[in-house]
Amino acid sequence: IPAPGWRFTEWGGDASGSVNPKTLTIDEDTHVVATFVRVEYTLTVSIDGQGQVSQDPQQPTYYYGDQVTLTASHDPGWAFDGWSGDTGGSKNPKTLTIGGNTQVTAHFIQRPYTLSIQIVGQGSVERDPNQSAYY
């Protein structure tokens, strides 16, 4: 029975094949080897909005129990809003513990900016477009 993050591959010694469970007839001293290999998992990070996410460590695959720190960086005019997928919240940076193939989305939202107009002297200013916030 494989431990979490491992998979059974084959029998060796006085047993052979990969059928599991294996039935043996014991008629002499018998030596059996069970071979397990670590399972490699992927971490897929998607972006919603405009920004980037760095991974530390940055690897093509990870093993069960590996820790990966994700750091979201927003583009100008945007703000990091939170994580979704196999993790949540808005903590940044965020440390994940790999327990299988993992998918995470970093969400960025546009920052609204206001435009204040002050007139000195006599005259007017028209805004085009005239709106309460600008991105």
Side-chain angles (χ1 to χ4, degrees):
I1 298 172
W6 292 80
R7 70 177 169 83
F8 171 78
T9 58
E10 65 183 348
W11 299 106
D14 294 325
S16 63
S18 60
V19 174
N20 189 19
K22 180 79 167 178
T23 302
L24 298 174
T25 301
I26 307 297
D27 54 7
E28 61 184 25
D29 290 342
T30 305
H31 176 77
V32 175
V33 176
T35 302
F36 299 90
V37 295
R38 291 181 88 178
V39 178
E40 294 180 336
Y41 298 107
T42 58
L43 171 60
T44 304
V45 178
S46 302
I47 304 291
D48 173 36
Q50 292 186 18
Q52 302 80 37
V53 175
S54 64
Q55 297 172 210
D56 183 26
Q58 171 75 46
Q59 299 172 186
T61 59
Y62 299 90
Y63 294 116
Y64 182 88
D66 283 352
Q67 290 195 326
V68 183
T69 300
L70 303 178
T71 304
S73 303
H74 61 83
D75 284 355
W78 291 77
F80 174 68
D81 191 45
W83 307 100
S84 69
D86 292 323
T87 191
S90 58
K91 186 175 180 183
N92 189 30
K94 176 82 169 195
T95 300
L96 303 174
T97 301
I98 300 297
N101 290 327
T102 305
Q103 295 184 349
V104 175
T105 300
H107 299 276
F108 298 91
I109 57 172
Q110 283 187 294
R111 288 183 173 168
Y113 293 97
T114 59
L115 173 61
S116 299
I117 299 173
Q118 180 181 3
I119 297 175
V120 177
Q122 294 190 1
S124 64
V125 174
E126 292 182 12
R127 292 189 275 188
D128 185 19
N130 186 13
Q131 52 196 51
S132 61
Y134 297 88
Y135 295 94

